Amino acid sequence: MYAKTYGETTCGIDGEEIIVEVDIANGLPGFDIVGLPDTAVKESRERVKAAIKNSGFRFPSVHITVNLAPADLKKDGSGLDLPIAAGILLGTGQVLCSNIEDIIFAGELALDGSIRAIKGILPMIIKAKEVGKKEIFIPQGNTPEGELVDGIIVYTPASLEELAKHLNGQAKLTSLPKHALNLAINYSSQVDFADVQGQLVAKRALEIAAAGGHNVLMVGSPGAGKTMLARRLPTILPPMTEEEALEVTKIYSISGLLSRTRGLVLERPFRSPHHTISHNALIGGGSVPKPGEVTLSHNGVLFLDELPEFSRSALEVLRQPLEDGFVTISRVQASLSFPATFILVSAENPCPCGFYGEDDGVHECTCRPNEIERYQKKISGPLLDRIDIQIQVPRLNYKEIKNTLPVESSATIRTRVKAAREIQLKRLKDTNFHCNADMGHKEIKEYCTLDTQAEVLLEKYFVGLGLSARSHDRIIKVAQTIADLDASSIITGMHISEAVQLRTNNQG
Amino acid sequence: MHSRAQFGQWGEETACNYLIKKGYKIVTRNYRSNFGEIDIIAEKKGGIIFVEVKARKTLMFGTPAAAVTKAKQIKIHRTAFQYLQTSTKRYRQFWFDVVEIYVDAGKTTINHIQHCF
């Protein structure tokens, strides 16, 4: 007796269809799974056996061979329990189903036959829809993700028994209702830019960064407010588009970081890994590559506090994703690409003691010149070159701290950022980019118009500061964002000057 | 003799009668080596068959055939090869079979699983 069912596994951040073939033959009782299963899949033997028995079905005392095709793809995760169990029930005639070709099963079985939630359901549903399946059975615990995709019928059986009764036509399950995606964000977070007195330059820089998706480096002595500023950046980021939100949700689904109650990730991610992070944890790794912090901060912010404390290798691996917006991890098992379009926000002190360049008359830098040099050299030129906005965050004086003047709130800044983003989306609607920072050389040439004064200034800066070709492009991108915030259709000399100032503050 | 051993004896007897009825020629019974024991060695159509007999009075602990574990199979393999080496007769082919006998709801069932390992 032979039966075929369909399941899914995840590969990178996408689902991958798996054909589960079950052969039930006479012979010594046994249960073999072939087709490159990993340990979690091999162990499904015991779970499937117990679940079938405890759901009131008969587990056949014959030889069962399960083949997972395509045979060259490594299958991981416990989501194949359900298609295997369904295959055995079909093969032994305990369940009858006429449209098995149109169905995908995904779920982990408990020993009592109930179905447990698994990681990566959203990409599986999306894949199932892509390959033209009509129905998918997912665990009840993954309901929030099941509601996100339109165009495929999603069922959430609580147990193997319910699933079997549905297939046999004894008791039909009700499919999940579809809601229109609600992208409205509740910005009720505790922090707000209204809490920050002074630091007008830094705030302006972060506003530009949020509006155009540019990378930021903040340099300042301890306690100046670098971390405080960075933590408030998410409150002024524009809401994600539906496409962006689904992308982020897919990544979080695969990493198992999705909350159980809410499907779509609405807020842009804000990740702040500790500086002891390894380069593998940062860009992703593992024998079958898993997403790292750069991918988890896709479409959001990656905040690296105390930048020079990060290991050299961790910083250098950032160079490629910063430029390309994705990262490709190659291992023997698989070579996978993960999206990694993020705003890098970093903070550092000017020297090990933190007071280099401070002229308040109290603090004095106690570092030796070679120490300062070594500290600053930890961040390589190529990495700095990729950071569009580099600003000094000076210490506040007493008057500024005690100031009670009303300060702009995040909501006000956000309206401006949103308006600027909308201009960008409109301009870039023929490309698949979302903001100015994503633009390549070609797009800059096509979309960015500089007036004559701007051209003259740019040439002067280019020669005078010895800028690289990449810096040239990046200055135009920042200038374009400043122009967008100004609602100006062309880039003027003012915009170019501000962009250059924001960039070269640190490099002198 | 103990009743358990007697039951085993009865099982092997039943299996023998069953095989003879099916046209097999019994060559040896309870062939022993240093590695283990083969319950029945039989011949059919120029081939030799090594048979393991498993009998159970109840199905409460699974079918008898499920008790022929990998370790048991290895023992039977080694014993069979020793038999073949010492045998004067040459065979075209050899197989390993299991005959399981169980009593379910008062009815005795014989299940012959051919060429199974």
Side-chain angles (χ1 to χ4, degrees), chain A residues 307-318:
Chain A
L307 195 64
E309 301 300 331
F310 281 78
S311 77
R312 181 91 194 204
S313 65
L315 290 179
E316 297 312 308
V317 294
L318 281 176

Side-chain angles (χ1 to χ4, degrees), chain A residues 24-316:
Chain A
I24 296 169
N26 210 4
L28 286 185
F31 189 176
D32 285 325
I33 297 180
V34 296
L36 228 56
D38 82 341
T39 322
V41 180
K42 270 190 203 143
E43 285 173 349
S44 82
R45 279 193 300 205
E46 304 305 325
R47 289 192 295 270
V48 167
K49 210 181 218 170
I52 288 185
K53 194 167 57 81
N54 293 332
S55 299
F57 296 106
R58 182 175 50 82
F59 191 83
S61 182
V62 286
H63 195 87
I64 300 171
T65 311
V66 172
N67 180 35
L68 307 172
D72 59 345
L73 181 77
K74 182 107 182 148
K75 287 90 186 166
D76 58 353
S78 48
L80 290 169
D81 286 5
L82 203 56
I84 292 173
I88 291 172
L89 292 179
L90 278 163
T92 52
Q94 299 183 84
V95 162
L96 299 168
C97 178
S98 53
N99 61 336
I100 201 76
E101 296 280 333
D102 297 331
I103 300 177
I104 293 265
F105 299 98
E108 175 186 320
L109 284 170
L111 295 186
D112 64 354
S114 55
I115 300 171
R116 290 208 173 108
I118 56 167
K119 291 182 200 174
I121 278 287
L122 180 66
M124 291 181 191
I125 302 176
I126 291 172
K127 183 74 182 181
K129 190 185 152 192
E130 266 174 32
V131 297
K133 299 286 174 188
K134 295 195 179 67
E135 295 174 17
I136 184 165
F137 290 84
I138 63 166
Q140 252 177 10
N142 293 107
T143 306
E145 287 167 75
E147 288 172 338
L148 297 179
V149 186
D150 210 359
I152 185 164
I153 303 169
V154 182
Y155 292 108
T156 52
S159 66
L160 191 60
E161 202 183 342
E162 272 189 38
L163 171 70
K165 278 189 175 153
H166 173 85
L167 293 176
N168 281 336
Q170 290 158 321
K172 283 283 174 196
L173 295 163
T174 44
S175 63
L176 280 185
K178 293 286 180 276
H179 306 298
L181 295 185
N182 181 11
L183 291 166
I185 309 180
N186 180 13
Y187 284 100
S188 62
S189 55
Q190 316 287 312
V191 294
D192 196 291
F193 266 104
D195 311 335
V196 188
Q197 291 286 344
Q199 302 295 16
L200 294 177
V201 176
K203 279 187 195 166
R204 168 77 177 160
L206 288 178
E207 180 180 333
I208 295 166
H214 304 288
N215 302 321
V216 188
L217 171 65
M218 290 183 283
V219 185
S221 51
K226 302 180 296 292
T227 310
M228 192 176 178
L229 284 161
R231 294 224 171 265
R232 278 155 183 77
L233 183 60
T235 64
I236 60 164
L237 288 173
M240 285 192 279
T241 62
E242 186 180 321
E243 189 191 342
E244 285 177 314
L246 273 176
E247 244 176 2
V248 173
T249 310
K250 253 165 94 169
I251 294 166
Y252 277 67
S253 174
I254 277 174
S255 310
L257 295 172
L258 223 48
S259 88
R260 290 274 181 244
T261 51
R262 196 196 52 180
L264 208 57
V265 176
L266 295 171
E267 298 88 15
R268 289 179 182 271
F270 182 85
R271 306 286 301 181
S272 57
H274 189 251
H275 59 246
T276 49
I277 189 171
S278 71
H279 67 267
N280 276 333
L282 200 56
I283 62 158
S287 63
V288 174
K290 295 261 177 298
E293 288 290 337
V294 295
T295 304
L296 292 175
S297 43
H298 180 58
N299 286 337
V301 176
L302 178 67
F303 176 44
L304 302 183
D305 206 355
E306 310 300 346
L307 195 64
E309 301 300 331
F310 281 78
S311 77
R312 181 91 194 204
S313 65
L315 290 179
E316 297 312 308

Side-chain angles (χ1 to χ4, degrees), chain A residues 342-395:
Chain A
F342 54 90
I343 302 177
L344 174 70
V345 178
S346 45
E348 64 167 6
N349 298 132
C351 69
C353 82
F355 294 105
Y356 179 63
E358 198 63 49
D359 53 0
D360 59 359
V362 183
H363 292 100
E364 210 167 313
C365 179
T366 54
C367 307
R368 287 188 291 272
N370 64 330
E371 279 177 342
I372 299 172
E373 196 184 354
R374 196 176 336 126
Y375 189 77
Q376 288 179 347
K377 269 204 175 145
K378 270 192 159 172
I379 324 261
S380 70
L383 182 62
L384 275 179
D385 202 25
R386 285 167 172 84
I387 300 178
D388 303 335
I389 300 175
Q390 297 166 10
I391 46 159
Q392 304 280 354
V393 181
R395 285 161 71 87

Side-chain angles (χ1 to χ4, degrees), chain A residues 26-29 61, chain B residues 63 65 73 98 113:
Chain A
N26 210 4
L28 286 185
S61 182
Chain B
T63 58
Q73 290 172 22
V98 171
I113 306 166

